[in-house]
Amino acid sequence: MECLHCKGRMERRTAPFSLDRKGYHVSWDAIPAWVCMQCGEPYFEAKEVELIQKALTAMEREGAALVGAGPSAAKP
């Protein structure tokens, strides 16, 4: 496989992934990916992208429930 960015050789490794979204930061240290041995650019396959999207959807849903609880839900 050839890197779309620099035409370097790609190897199956892991790569970090992070995202800032709607007031929160998500970071994974080692997502399976094709990584360019020349420039380091990672390419994630559809399977990993789908899992990342599912995790983000679940986090948004749970985060909305957390924010919805708000300070009034806390009892002194």
Side-chain angles (χ1 to χ4, degrees):
M1 185 171 189
E2 185 178 89
C3 177
L4 297 173
H5 182 69
C6 75
K7 308 297 183 201
R9 182 176 51 87
M10 306 292 286
E11 286 188 11
R12 193 73 173 146
R13 303 257 173 127
T14 61
F17 178 85
S18 62
L19 175 75
D20 290 309
R21 187 173 178 164
K22 298 183 182 180
Y24 59 86
H25 179 79
V26 177
S27 178
W28 285 281
D29 292 331
I31 302 290
W34 288 97
V35 179
C36 179
M37 297 294 97
Q38 184 168 306
C39 72
E41 187 70 22
Y43 294 94
F44 300 102
E45 290 188 352
K47 175 177 64 173
E48 282 77 28
V49 172
E50 184 179 327
L51 290 170
I52 290 168
Q53 289 174 334
K54 284 181 180 180
L56 292 172
T57 298
M59 290 177 67
E60 282 183 10
R61 183 176 52 250
E62 296 300 320
L66 180 63
V67 171
S72 62
K75 303 255 180 189

